[in-house]
Coordinates of all heavy atoms in Angstrom, one line a residue:
M1 N -10.0 -35.4 -37.6 CA -10.2 -36.5 -38.6 C -10.5 -37.8 -37.9 O -10.1 -38.1 -36.8 CB -8.8 -36.7 -39.3 CG -8.6 -35.5 -40.3 SD -7.3 -35.9 -41.4 CE -5.9 -35.3 -40.5
A2 N -11.4 -38.5 -38.5 CA -11.9 -39.7 -37.9 C -11.5 -41.0 -38.6 O -11.1 -41.0 -39.8 CB -13.4 -39.7 -37.8
D3 N -11.5 -42.1 -37.9 CA -11.3 -43.4 -38.5 C -12.3 -43.7 -39.6 O -13.5 -43.3 -39.4 CB -11.3 -44.5 -37.5 CG -10.1 -44.6 -36.6 OD1 -9.2 -43.7 -36.8 OD2 -10.1 -45.4 -35.7
C4 N -11.9 -44.4 -40.6 CA -12.8 -44.8 -41.7 C -13.8 -45.9 -41.1 O -13.3 -46.8 -40.4 CB -12.0 -45.4 -42.8 SG -13.1 -46.1 -44.1
P5 N -15.1 -45.8 -41.4 CA -16.0 -46.8 -40.9 C -15.8 -48.2 -41.4 O -16.4 -49.1 -40.9 CB -17.4 -46.2 -41.3 CG -17.1 -45.2 -42.4 CD -15.7 -44.7 -42.1
M6 N -15.0 -48.3 -42.5 CA -14.7 -49.6 -43.1 C -13.5 -50.3 -42.6 O -13.2 -51.4 -43.0 CB -14.5 -49.4 -44.6 CG -15.5 -48.6 -45.3 SD -17.1 -49.4 -45.1 CE -18.2 -48.1 -45.6
L7 N -12.8 -49.8 -41.6 CA -11.6 -50.3 -41.1 C -11.6 -51.9 -40.9 O -10.8 -52.6 -41.4 CB -11.2 -49.7 -39.7 CG -10.6 -48.3 -39.7 CD1 -10.1 -48.0 -38.3 CD2 -9.4 -48.2 -40.7
T8 N -12.6 -52.3 -40.2 CA -12.6 -53.7 -39.8 C -12.6 -54.7 -41.0 O -11.9 -55.7 -41.0 CB -13.9 -54.0 -38.9 OG1 -14.1 -52.9 -38.1 CG2 -13.7 -55.3 -38.1
G9 N -13.5 -54.4 -42.0 CA -13.6 -55.3 -43.1 C -12.7 -55.0 -44.3 O -12.8 -55.7 -45.3
C10 N -12.0 -53.9 -44.2 CA -11.3 -53.5 -45.4 C -10.0 -54.3 -45.7 O -9.1 -54.4 -44.8 CB -10.9 -52.0 -45.3 SG -10.0 -51.4 -46.7
P11 N -9.9 -54.9 -46.9 CA -8.7 -55.7 -47.3 C -7.4 -54.9 -47.3 O -6.4 -55.4 -46.9 CB -9.1 -56.2 -48.6 CG -10.2 -55.4 -49.2 CD -10.9 -54.8 -48.0
F12 N -7.5 -53.6 -47.6 CA -6.3 -52.8 -47.6 C -5.8 -52.6 -46.1 O -4.7 -52.9 -45.8 CB -6.5 -51.5 -48.2 CG -5.2 -50.6 -48.1 CD1 -4.2 -50.8 -48.9 CD2 -5.2 -49.6 -47.1 CE1 -3.0 -50.0 -48.8 CE2 -4.0 -48.9 -46.9 CZ -2.9 -49.1 -47.8
F13 N -6.7 -52.2 -45.3 CA -6.3 -51.9 -43.9 C -5.8 -53.2 -43.2 O -5.0 -53.1 -42.3 CB -7.5 -51.3 -43.1 CG -7.1 -50.8 -41.8 CD1 -6.4 -49.6 -41.7 CD2 -7.3 -51.5 -40.6 CE1 -5.9 -49.1 -40.4 CE2 -6.9 -51.0 -39.4 CZ -6.2 -49.8 -39.3
N14 N -6.4 -54.3 -43.6 CA -6.0 -55.6 -42.9 C -4.9 -56.3 -43.7 O -4.8 -57.5 -43.5 CB -7.3 -56.4 -42.7 CG -8.2 -55.7 -41.7 OD1 -7.9 -55.7 -40.5 ND2 -9.3 -55.1 -42.2
D15 N -4.2 -55.7 -44.6 CA -3.1 -56.3 -45.3 C -3.5 -57.5 -46.1 O -2.7 -58.4 -46.2 CB -1.9 -56.6 -44.4 CG -1.4 -55.3 -43.7 OD1 -1.2 -54.3 -44.4 OD2 -1.1 -55.4 -42.5
K16 N -4.7 -57.5 -46.7 CA -5.1 -58.7 -47.4 C -5.0 -58.5 -48.9 O -5.4 -59.4 -49.7 CB -6.6 -59.0 -47.1 CG -6.9 -59.3 -45.6 CD -6.7 -60.7 -45.3 CE -7.2 -61.2 -44.0 NZ -6.3 -61.0 -42.9
M17 N -4.5 -57.3 -49.3 CA -4.4 -57.1 -50.8 C -3.0 -57.6 -51.3 O -2.0 -57.6 -50.5 CB -4.5 -55.7 -51.1 CG -6.0 -55.2 -51.0 SD -6.1 -53.4 -51.2 CE -5.8 -53.2 -52.9
K18 N -3.0 -58.1 -52.5 CA -1.7 -58.5 -53.1 C -0.9 -57.2 -53.4 O -1.4 -56.1 -53.6 CB -2.0 -59.2 -54.5 CG -2.4 -60.6 -54.3 CD -2.5 -61.2 -55.7 CE -3.3 -62.5 -55.5 NZ -4.0 -62.9 -56.7
N19 N 0.4 -57.4 -53.4 CA 1.3 -56.2 -53.7 C 1.1 -55.0 -52.8 O 0.9 -53.9 -53.3 CB 1.2 -55.9 -55.2 CG 1.4 -57.0 -56.1 OD1 2.3 -57.8 -55.9 ND2 0.6 -57.2 -57.1
M20 N 1.0 -55.2 -51.6 CA 0.8 -54.0 -50.7 C 2.0 -53.1 -50.9 O 3.1 -53.5 -50.8 CB 0.7 -54.5 -49.2 CG -0.6 -55.2 -48.8 SD -2.0 -54.1 -48.8 CE -1.8 -53.2 -47.3
P21 N 1.7 -51.8 -51.0 CA 2.8 -50.9 -51.3 C 3.6 -50.7 -50.0 O 3.2 -50.8 -48.9 CB 2.1 -49.6 -51.7 CG 0.7 -49.7 -51.1 CD 0.4 -51.1 -51.1
A22 N 4.9 -50.3 -50.2 CA 5.8 -50.0 -49.1 C 5.3 -48.9 -48.3 O 5.6 -48.8 -47.1 CB 7.2 -49.7 -49.6
T23 N 4.5 -48.1 -48.9 CA 4.0 -46.9 -48.2 C 2.6 -47.2 -47.6 O 1.9 -46.2 -47.2 CB 3.7 -45.8 -49.3 OG1 3.1 -46.3 -50.4 CG2 5.0 -45.1 -49.7
S24 N 2.3 -48.4 -47.4 CA 0.9 -48.7 -46.9 C 0.7 -48.1 -45.5 O -0.5 -47.7 -45.2 CB 0.6 -50.2 -46.9 OG 1.5 -50.9 -46.1
N25 N 1.7 -48.1 -44.7 CA 1.5 -47.5 -43.3 C 1.2 -46.0 -43.4 O 0.4 -45.5 -42.6 CB 2.7 -47.8 -42.4 CG 2.6 -49.2 -41.9 OD1 1.6 -49.9 -41.8 ND2 3.8 -49.8 -41.5
I26 N 1.8 -45.4 -44.3 CA 1.5 -44.0 -44.5 C 0.1 -43.8 -45.0 O -0.7 -42.9 -44.5 CB 2.5 -43.3 -45.5 CG1 3.9 -43.4 -44.9 CG2 2.1 -41.9 -45.8 CD1 5.0 -43.0 -45.9
Y27 N -0.3 -44.6 -46.0 CA -1.7 -44.5 -46.5 C -2.7 -44.8 -45.3 O -3.8 -44.2 -45.2 CB -2.0 -45.5 -47.6 CG -1.2 -45.2 -48.9 CD1 -1.0 -46.2 -49.8 CD2 -0.6 -43.9 -49.1 CE1 -0.3 -45.9 -51.0 CE2 0.1 -43.7 -50.3 CZ 0.3 -44.7 -51.2 OH 1.0 -44.5 -52.3
K28 N -2.4 -45.8 -44.5 CA -3.3 -46.1 -43.4 C -3.5 -44.9 -42.5 O -4.5 -44.6 -42.0 CB -2.8 -47.3 -42.6 CG -3.0 -48.6 -43.4 CD -2.5 -49.8 -42.6 CE -2.4 -51.0 -43.5 NZ -1.8 -52.2 -42.7
R29 N -2.4 -44.3 -42.2 CA -2.4 -43.1 -41.4 C -3.2 -41.9 -42.0 O -4.0 -41.3 -41.4 CB -1.0 -42.7 -41.0 CG -1.0 -41.7 -39.8 CD 0.4 -41.3 -39.4 NE 1.1 -40.6 -40.5 CZ 2.4 -40.8 -40.8 NH1 3.1 -41.6 -40.1 NH2 2.9 -40.1 -41.8
N30 N -2.9 -41.7 -43.3 CA -3.5 -40.5 -44.0 C -4.9 -40.7 -44.4 O -5.7 -39.8 -44.3 CB -2.7 -40.2 -45.2 CG -1.3 -39.6 -44.8 OD1 -1.0 -39.3 -43.7 ND2 -0.4 -39.4 -45.8
Y31 N -5.2 -42.0 -44.8 CA -6.6 -42.2 -45.3 C -7.4 -43.0 -44.2 O -8.4 -42.4 -43.8 CB -6.6 -43.1 -46.6 CG -5.9 -42.4 -47.8 CD1 -4.6 -42.7 -48.2 CD2 -6.7 -41.5 -48.5 CE1 -4.1 -42.1 -49.3 CE2 -6.1 -40.8 -49.6 CZ -4.8 -41.2 -50.0 OH -4.3 -40.5 -51.1
C32 N -7.0 -44.2 -43.9 CA -7.8 -45.0 -43.0 C -8.1 -44.4 -41.6 O -9.1 -44.5 -41.1 CB -7.2 -46.4 -42.8 SG -6.7 -47.1 -44.4
R33 N -7.1 -43.7 -41.1 CA -7.2 -43.1 -39.8 C -7.2 -41.6 -40.0 O -6.9 -40.8 -39.0 CB -6.1 -43.5 -38.9 CG -6.2 -45.0 -38.6 CD -5.4 -45.4 -37.4 NE -5.6 -46.8 -37.0 CZ -6.6 -47.2 -36.2 NH1 -7.5 -46.3 -35.8 NH2 -6.7 -48.4 -35.9
G34 N -7.5 -41.1 -41.2 CA -7.5 -39.7 -41.4 C -8.6 -39.3 -42.4 O -9.8 -39.5 -42.1
E35 N -8.2 -38.9 -43.6 CA -9.2 -38.4 -44.5 C -9.7 -39.5 -45.4 O -9.5 -39.6 -46.6 CB -8.6 -37.3 -45.4 CG -8.2 -36.1 -44.6 CD -7.8 -34.9 -45.4 OE1 -6.6 -34.8 -45.9 OE2 -8.7 -34.0 -45.6
H36 N -10.5 -40.4 -44.8 CA -11.0 -41.5 -45.5 C -11.9 -41.2 -46.6 O -12.1 -42.0 -47.6 CB -11.7 -42.5 -44.5 CG -12.8 -41.9 -43.8 ND1 -12.7 -41.3 -42.6 CD2 -14.1 -41.9 -44.1 CE1 -13.9 -40.9 -42.2 NE2 -14.8 -41.2 -43.1
T37 N -12.5 -40.0 -46.6 CA -13.4 -39.6 -47.7 C -12.6 -39.4 -49.0 O -13.2 -39.4 -50.1 CB -14.2 -38.4 -47.4 OG1 -13.4 -37.3 -47.0 CG2 -15.2 -38.6 -46.3
K38 N -11.3 -39.3 -48.9 CA -10.5 -39.1 -50.1 C -9.9 -40.4 -50.6 O -9.1 -40.4 -51.5 CB -9.3 -38.1 -49.8 CG -9.9 -36.7 -49.6 CD -8.8 -35.7 -49.5 CE -9.4 -34.3 -49.3 NZ -8.5 -33.3 -48.8
C39 N -10.2 -41.5 -49.9 CA -9.6 -42.8 -50.3 C -10.4 -43.3 -51.5 O -11.6 -43.2 -51.6 CB -9.8 -43.8 -49.1 SG -9.6 -45.5 -49.6
A40 N -9.6 -43.8 -52.5 CA -10.2 -44.3 -53.7 C -11.2 -45.4 -53.4 O -12.3 -45.4 -54.0 CB -9.1 -44.8 -54.6
R41 N -10.8 -46.3 -52.5 CA -11.7 -47.4 -52.2 C -13.0 -46.9 -51.6 O -14.1 -47.4 -51.9 CB -11.1 -48.4 -51.3 CG -9.8 -49.1 -51.9 CD -9.3 -50.2 -51.0 NE -10.3 -51.3 -50.8 CZ -10.3 -52.4 -51.6 NH1 -9.5 -52.5 -52.6 NH2 -11.2 -53.3 -51.5
F42 N -12.9 -46.0 -50.7 CA -14.0 -45.5 -50.0 C -15.0 -44.7 -51.0 O -16.2 -44.9 -50.9 CB -13.6 -44.5 -48.9 CG -14.7 -44.1 -48.0 CD1 -15.1 -44.9 -46.9 CD2 -15.3 -42.8 -48.2 CE1 -16.2 -44.4 -46.1 CE2 -16.3 -42.4 -47.3 CZ -16.8 -43.2 -46.3
M43 N -14.3 -43.9 -51.9 CA -15.1 -43.2 -52.8 C -16.0 -44.1 -53.7 O -17.2 -43.8 -53.9 CB -14.2 -42.4 -53.7 CG -13.6 -41.1 -53.1 SD -12.2 -40.5 -54.0 CE -13.0 -40.1 -55.6
V44 N -15.4 -45.1 -54.2 CA -16.1 -46.0 -55.1 C -17.2 -46.7 -54.3 O -18.4 -46.8 -54.8 CB -15.2 -47.1 -55.7 CG1 -16.0 -48.1 -56.6 CG2 -14.1 -46.4 -56.6
R45 N -16.9 -47.2 -53.2 CA -17.9 -47.8 -52.3 C -19.1 -47.0 -52.0 O -20.2 -47.4 -52.2 CB -17.2 -48.3 -51.0 CG -18.1 -49.1 -50.1 CD -17.5 -49.3 -48.8 NE -18.5 -49.9 -47.9 CZ -18.6 -51.2 -47.7 NH1 -17.7 -52.0 -48.3 NH2 -19.6 -51.7 -47.0
Q46 N -18.8 -45.7 -51.7 CA -19.9 -44.8 -51.3 C -20.8 -44.4 -52.5 O -21.9 -44.2 -52.3 CB -19.3 -43.6 -50.6 CG -18.7 -43.8 -49.3 CD -19.7 -44.4 -48.3 OE1 -19.6 -45.6 -48.0 NE2 -20.6 -43.6 -47.8
T47 N -20.1 -44.3 -53.6 CA -20.9 -43.7 -54.8 C -21.6 -44.8 -55.6 O -22.7 -44.6 -56.0 CB -20.0 -42.8 -55.7 OG1 -18.9 -43.6 -56.0 CG2 -19.7 -41.5 -55.0
V48 N -20.9 -45.9 -55.9 CA -21.5 -46.9 -56.8 C -21.7 -48.2 -56.2 O -22.2 -49.1 -56.8 CB -20.7 -47.0 -58.2 CG1 -20.9 -45.7 -59.0 CG2 -19.2 -47.3 -58.0
G49 N -21.2 -48.4 -54.9 CA -21.5 -49.6 -54.2 C -20.2 -50.5 -54.0 O -19.3 -50.5 -54.9
P50 N -20.2 -51.2 -52.9 CA -19.1 -52.1 -52.5 C -18.7 -53.1 -53.6 O -17.5 -53.5 -53.7 CB -19.5 -52.7 -51.2 CG -20.9 -52.5 -51.1 CD -21.3 -51.3 -51.9
E51 N -19.7 -53.6 -54.3 CA -19.5 -54.6 -55.3 C -18.6 -54.1 -56.5 O -18.1 -54.9 -57.3 CB -20.8 -55.3 -55.8 CG -21.7 -54.4 -56.7 CD -22.6 -53.5 -55.9 OE1 -22.3 -53.2 -54.7 OE2 -23.6 -53.0 -56.4
H52 N -18.5 -52.8 -56.6 CA -17.7 -52.3 -57.7 C -16.3 -51.8 -57.3 O -15.6 -51.3 -58.1 CB -18.4 -51.1 -58.3 CG -19.7 -51.4 -58.9 ND1 -19.8 -52.3 -60.0 CD2 -21.0 -51.1 -58.6 CE1 -21.1 -52.4 -60.3 NE2 -21.8 -51.7 -59.5
V53 N -15.9 -52.1 -56.1 CA -14.5 -51.7 -55.7 C -13.6 -52.8 -56.2 O -13.7 -54.0 -55.8 CB -14.4 -51.6 -54.1 CG1 -13.0 -51.2 -53.7 CG2 -15.4 -50.6 -53.6
P54 N -12.7 -52.4 -57.1 CA -11.7 -53.4 -57.6 C -10.8 -54.0 -56.5 O -10.5 -53.3 -55.6 CB -10.9 -52.7 -58.6 CG -11.7 -51.4 -59.0 CD -12.5 -51.1 -57.7
A55 N -10.5 -55.3 -56.6 CA -9.7 -56.0 -55.6 C -8.4 -55.3 -55.4 O -7.8 -55.3 -54.3 CB -9.6 -57.4 -55.9
D56 N -7.9 -54.7 -56.5 CA -6.5 -54.2 -56.5 C -6.5 -52.6 -56.4 O -5.5 -52.0 -56.8 CB -5.7 -54.7 -57.7 CG -6.4 -54.2 -59.0 OD1 -7.5 -53.7 -59.0 OD2 -5.7 -54.4 -60.0
L57 N -7.6 -52.0 -56.0 CA -7.6 -50.6 -55.9 C -7.0 -50.1 -54.6 O -7.5 -50.5 -53.5 CB -9.1 -50.1 -56.1 CG -9.3 -48.6 -56.1 CD1 -8.7 -48.0 -57.4 CD2 -10.7 -48.2 -56.0
F58 N -6.0 -49.2 -54.7 CA -5.4 -48.7 -53.5 C -5.9 -47.3 -53.1 O -6.4 -46.6 -54.0 CB -3.8 -48.6 -53.7 CG -3.2 -50.0 -53.7 CD1 -2.8 -50.6 -54.8 CD2 -3.2 -50.7 -52.5 CE1 -2.3 -51.9 -54.8 CE2 -2.6 -52.0 -52.4 CZ -2.2 -52.6 -53.6
P59 N -5.8 -46.9 -51.9 CA -6.4 -45.6 -51.4 C -6.0 -44.4 -52.2 O -6.7 -43.5 -52.4 CB -5.9 -45.5 -50.0 CG -5.7 -46.9 -49.5 CD -5.2 -47.7 -50.8
N60 N -4.7 -44.4 -52.7 CA -4.2 -43.2 -53.3 C -4.6 -43.1 -54.8 O -4.3 -42.2 -55.5 CB -2.7 -43.2 -53.2 CG -2.0 -44.4 -53.9 OD1 -2.5 -45.5 -53.8 ND2 -1.0 -44.2 -54.7
Q61 N -5.3 -44.2 -55.3 CA -5.6 -44.2 -56.8 C -7.0 -43.5 -57.0 O -7.9 -44.0 -57.6 CB -5.7 -45.6 -57.3 CG -4.3 -46.3 -57.2 CD -4.3 -47.7 -57.6 OE1 -5.2 -48.5 -57.2 NE2 -3.2 -48.1 -58.3
R62 N -6.9 -42.2 -56.7 CA -8.2 -41.4 -56.8 C -8.6 -41.2 -58.2 O -9.8 -41.2 -58.5 CB -7.9 -40.1 -56.1 CG -9.1 -39.3 -55.8 CD -8.8 -38.2 -54.9 NE -10.0 -37.3 -54.9 CZ -10.1 -36.2 -54.2 NH1 -9.1 -35.9 -53.4 NH2 -11.2 -35.5 -54.2
E63 N -7.7 -41.0 -59.1 CA -8.0 -40.8 -60.5 C -8.7 -42.0 -61.1 O -9.7 -41.9 -61.8 CB -6.8 -40.5 -61.4 CG -6.7 -39.0 -61.7 CD -5.5 -38.8 -62.5 OE1 -5.3 -39.4 -63.6 OE2 -4.7 -37.9 -62.2
R64 N -8.2 -43.2 -60.8 CA -8.8 -44.5 -61.2 C -10.2 -44.6 -60.7 O -11.1 -45.0 -61.4 CB -7.9 -45.6 -60.7 CG -8.3 -46.9 -61.3 CD -7.3 -48.0 -60.9 NE -8.0 -49.3 -61.1 CZ -7.6 -50.4 -60.5 NH1 -6.6 -50.4 -59.6 NH2 -8.2 -51.6 -60.7
A65 N -10.3 -44.2 -59.4 CA -11.7 -44.3 -58.8 C -12.6 -43.3 -59.5 O -13.8 -43.7 -59.8 CB -11.6 -43.9 -57.3
E66 N -12.2 -42.1 -59.8 CA -13.1 -41.2 -60.5 C -13.5 -41.7 -61.8 O -14.7 -41.5 -62.2 CB -12.4 -39.8 -60.5 CG -12.5 -39.1 -59.2 CD -11.6 -37.9 -59.1 OE1 -10.8 -37.6 -60.1 OE2 -11.6 -37.2 -58.0
T67 N -12.6 -42.3 -62.6 CA -12.9 -42.8 -63.9 C -13.9 -43.9 -63.8 O -14.9 -44.0 -64.5 CB -11.6 -43.4 -64.6 OG1 -10.6 -42.3 -64.6 CG2 -11.8 -43.8 -66.0
L68 N -13.7 -44.8 -62.8 CA -14.6 -45.9 -62.6 C -16.0 -45.4 -62.2 O -17.0 -46.0 -62.7 CB -14.0 -46.7 -61.5 CG -14.3 -48.2 -61.4 CD1 -13.1 -48.9 -60.9 CD2 -15.5 -48.4 -60.5
I69 N -16.0 -44.5 -61.4 CA -17.3 -43.9 -60.9 C -18.1 -43.3 -62.1 O -19.2 -43.6 -62.3 CB -17.1 -42.9 -59.8 CG1 -16.7 -43.6 -58.5 CG2 -18.4 -42.1 -59.5 CD1 -16.1 -42.7 -57.5
K70 N -17.3 -42.6 -62.9 CA -18.0 -42.0 -64.1 C -18.5 -43.0 -65.0 O -19.6 -42.9 -65.5 CB -16.9 -41.1 -64.9 CG -17.3 -39.7 -65.0 CD -16.2 -38.9 -65.7 CE -15.5 -38.0 -64.8 NZ -14.2 -37.4 -65.4
E71 N -17.7 -44.1 -65.3 CA -18.2 -45.2 -66.1 C -19.5 -45.8 -65.6 O -20.4 -46.1 -66.3 CB -17.1 -46.2 -66.2 CG -16.0 -45.9 -67.2 CD -14.8 -46.8 -67.1 OE1 -14.9 -47.9 -66.4 OE2 -13.8 -46.5 -67.7
K72 N -19.5 -46.0 -64.3 CA -20.7 -46.7 -63.7 C -21.9 -45.8 -63.7 O -23.0 -46.2 -64.0 CB -20.4 -47.1 -62.2 CG -19.3 -48.1 -62.1 CD -19.6 -49.5 -62.6 CE -18.4 -50.4 -62.5 NZ -18.5 -51.5 -63.5
E73 N -21.6 -44.5 -63.5 CA -22.8 -43.6 -63.5 C -23.4 -43.4 -64.8 O -24.6 -43.1 -65.0 CB -22.3 -42.3 -62.8 CG -22.2 -42.4 -61.3 CD -21.7 -41.1 -60.7 OE1 -21.2 -40.2 -61.4 OE2 -21.8 -41.0 -59.4
Q74 N -22.5 -43.5 -65.9 CA -23.0 -43.4 -67.2 C -23.7 -44.7 -67.7 O -24.2 -44.8 -68.8 CB -21.9 -43.0 -68.2 CG -21.6 -41.5 -68.0 CD -20.2 -41.1 -68.6 OE1 -19.6 -42.0 -69.2 NE2 -19.8 -39.9 -68.5
G75 N -23.6 -45.7 -66.9 CA -24.2 -47.0 -67.2 C -23.4 -47.7 -68.2 O -23.9 -48.5 -69.0
Ligands
SF4_101 S1 -9.8 -45.4 -45.9 FE1 -10.0 -46.8 -47.7 S2 -8.5 -48.3 -47.5 FE2 -8.7 -47.3 -45.5 S3 -10.2 -48.6 -44.4 FE3 -11.3 -47.0 -45.5 S4 -11.9 -47.9 -47.4 FE4 -10.3 -49.1 -46.6

């Protein structure tokens, strides 16, 4: 498993998001330094573009990401 290519600029990884979850270190290990392709933020960024990543989207919110992606893809 590899580090996410977004580590440096990512607000989640750099603790810049409001209401950081208590489990953020676990998410960082599992997503940011692990399976980043399963991260909700990464998924939205890769499929519909960085400008569509909600400021408050956390890595584990995959369902929310999928809904958002579907909405954007349907225009
Ligand atoms: S895995 Fe997600 S939260 Fe972590 S650095 Fe990449 S885009 Fe950011």
Side-chain angles (χ1 to χ4, degrees):
M1 286 194 274
D3 282 0
C4 175
M6 308 300 163
L7 282 189
T8 323
C10 181
F12 174 80
F13 190 77
N14 295 286
D15 297 319
K16 298 275 194 272
M17 287 172 71
K18 282 184 195 154
N19 307 315
M20 287 291 286
T23 46
S24 63
N25 282 337
I26 296 172
Y27 294 161
K28 285 180 193 177
R29 194 177 63 216
N30 291 351
Y31 294 102
C32 310
R33 297 197 171 277
E35 297 192 277
H36 59 270
T37 54
K38 292 187 178 160
C39 165
R41 296 188 65 88
F42 188 83
M43 286 166 58
V44 174
R45 186 189 171 96
Q46 290 304 102
T47 51
V48 292
E51 69 275 24
H52 296 297
V53 182
D56 61 350
L57 183 69
F58 288 107
N60 63 315
Q61 295 178 319
R62 198 169 165 175
E63 257 181 51
R64 188 177 164 200
E66 281 167 0
T67 306
L68 206 145
I69 290 164
K70 239 180 253 167
E71 280 169 10
K72 298 291 173 203
E73 283 177 347
Q74 284 164 3

